[in-house]
Amino acid sequence: MHIWVLTDGKAGDLQPCLGVAGRLADIFRLEQQDVTIEERVVNPKAPWVWFMPHGPVNPFAKLDTQDNPLRPPFPDVAIASGRRAVAYLRSLKQRAPDCLTVFLKDPLTGHKAADLIWVPGHDQLRGPNVLVSDTGPHRISQTMLAEKRANPLPQIAHLPHPRLSIVLGGPARKTIYSPEDVSNLAKALEPLAAHAGSLLITGSRRTPKTWLEALTQIIKSKPGIVWTSASEMPNPYLDFLANADALVVTGDSHNMISEALATGVPLYLFAPKQLSPKLTAFLKAVYAHKLALPLDKTNSQTLELKQQKPIDSSATIAEEIRKKLNARSASATSEMNGN
């Protein structure tokens, strides 16, 4: 079984595709099948890139060159994401009709852009081949989390429970944090942190240095770890998720929240007043389904520690792909038998 992951290389598109491909590979391997996952990077040039996702790929590009992402041999399954990948997935389907094509997020060209399309609930696209879920696909599996829990980092293993992990994002497109928002985050965290045995704090590339400095001052009386890009240890993000008894995550990243929900531990979210419309709709759905609690509207006199069922959209999408492959196989067998 050969799987392509087709993106322009941006992490926001690549990582979800790799997450789904990884879960699909796990299914095949349980069935004793050999699996290969190959990353194919699209890099369209002008003028073709100007017309994407609706326009074609370069019709003059030679298929047998190493820099052509559509060079054969063609895959059994292609999983793509990102505006620039839409035309390439369409072209692949024309060249390899038997390939099952999958697109993550709205391709902006309708539901016929792929054999299977996944979109988050706040997107409007619907159709017979469109799979919808509140949370998004990602690379963090239950196996990965279990391994980190069984073998915690030495710096984490001795820390007292309950462990509260705080995952910080930062300003992003259409999402702006005012000084008042940052102050409210710190104020909301302080009483919650008081009920924790230890604290694990990590930021992202978008996290302002001042945020980490402010939070370090607030929780300096607690044992724990504050990770920054200047830290000697590699980013322990996955370790912090796996070894948390409760989580606080800023609401500026669909992916960070989806990964947090995969842990099955209580989740508190904090969002600025100026949040993108899509993230606003996403958080509304998360709260409506009682998947998380809003940090700034929560009674922080207690730390919620009740476990919940992990939510893993990557596995759900992979299972749907497997169903489609099974249906195709059954149909082909029926045709061969003359039915």
Side-chain angles (χ1 to χ4, degrees):
M1 178 61 63
H2 190 42
I3 304 169
W4 277 10
V5 166
L6 198 64
T7 72
D8 64 3
K10 290 194 184 101
D13 293 320
L14 176 61
Q15 296 304 317
C17 288
L18 287 173
V20 174
R23 302 300 199 289
L24 188 59
D26 290 342
I27 294 172
F28 291 140
R29 286 172 183 140
L30 285 174
E31 299 173 354
Q32 306 302 311
Q33 292 192 54
D34 292 329
V35 185
T36 58
I37 298 173
E38 185 178 358
E39 294 179 35
R40 294 289 181 105
V41 180
V42 306
N43 186 26
K45 308 295 184 184
W48 314 108
V49 69
W50 300 342
F51 306 106
M52 292 185 173
H54 301 280
V57 300
N58 182 355
F60 306 109
K62 295 182 178 179
L63 262 185
D64 57 353
T65 59
Q66 192 63 26
D67 62 347
N68 191 327
L70 297 182
R71 63 188 180 278
F74 297 126
D76 300 291
V77 179
I79 304 170
S81 187
R83 180 178 63 86
R84 291 178 179 85
V86 175
Y88 287 87
L89 195 67
R90 184 168 58 240
S91 181
L92 172 63
K93 188 66 176 179
Q94 292 167 353
R95 300 171 192 273
D98 291 337
C99 173
L100 182 74
T101 56
V102 181
F103 196 85
L104 306 182
K105 294 186 288 193
D106 188 347
L108 305 178
T109 58
H111 70 85
K112 295 182 180 180
D115 295 313
L116 175 66
I117 298 173
W118 168 84
V119 295
H122 54 259
D123 277 357
Q124 300 303 309
L125 182 67
R126 298 292 184 271
N129 62 326
V130 178
L131 182 64
V132 183
S133 65
D134 288 327
T135 63
H138 50 77
R139 294 191 72 179
I140 296 178
S141 68
Q142 296 306 305
T143 300
M144 294 166 65
L145 292 168
E147 288 174 352
K148 291 293 185 180
R149 287 167 183 149
N151 302 285
L153 292 173
Q155 299 94 322
I156 294 176
H158 72 281
L159 292 175
H161 294 271
R163 297 173 184 148
L164 177 64
S165 288
I166 301 168
V167 179
L168 303 172
R173 185 170 175 264
K174 297 183 180 179
T175 296
I176 298 172
Y177 283 88
S178 68
E180 182 184 5
D181 289 322
V182 179
S183 175
N184 289 339
L185 170 60
K187 288 177 182 176
L189 269 174
E190 194 166 5
L192 195 67
H195 295 277
S198 56
L199 299 162
L200 303 168
I201 303 175
T202 184
S204 70
R205 290 189 298 270
R206 295 181 290 110
T207 308
K209 184 180 178 181
T210 52
W211 287 23
L212 293 168
E213 291 173 348
L215 293 185
T216 301
Q217 289 301 311
I218 289 173
I219 54 90
K220 60 184 178 182
S221 62
K222 288 280 181 179
I225 303 170
V226 179
W227 187 88
T228 70
S229 56
S231 301
E232 293 183 2
M233 64 189 298
N235 192 338
Y237 172 67
L238 180 56
D239 299 88
F240 283 10
L241 289 184
N243 290 281
D245 295 303
L247 279 162
V248 172
V249 178
T250 54
D252 46 71
S253 168
H254 191 281
N255 195 51
M256 285 197 322
I257 296 170
S258 296
E259 289 173 346
L261 286 168
T263 66
V265 302
L267 174 62
Y268 298 86
L269 300 177
F270 179 88
K273 292 179 181 177
Q274 190 167 338
L275 193 65
S276 75
K278 284 191 174 182
L279 278 171
T280 299
F282 173 47
L283 292 189
K284 184 177 180 181
V286 167
Y287 295 143
H289 294 141
K290 298 182 179 179
L291 302 179
L293 298 168
L295 178 67
D296 53 341
K297 295 181 177 65
T298 300
N299 180 357
S300 299
Q301 300 306 309
T302 59
L303 184 61
E304 175 63 56
L305 297 175
K306 184 179 179 181
Q307 290 284 316
Q308 57 188 23
K309 183 180 178 181
I311 298 172
D312 185 357
S313 292
S314 299
T316 301
I317 298 168
E319 288 288 350
E320 190 65 25
I321 295 171
R322 188 65 180 115
K323 287 179 185 177
K324 285 189 173 292
L325 289 171
N326 285 342
R328 284 190 173 193
S329 179
S331 177
T333 301
S334 179
E335 289 181 7
M336 289 177 61
N337 292 335
N339 295 330

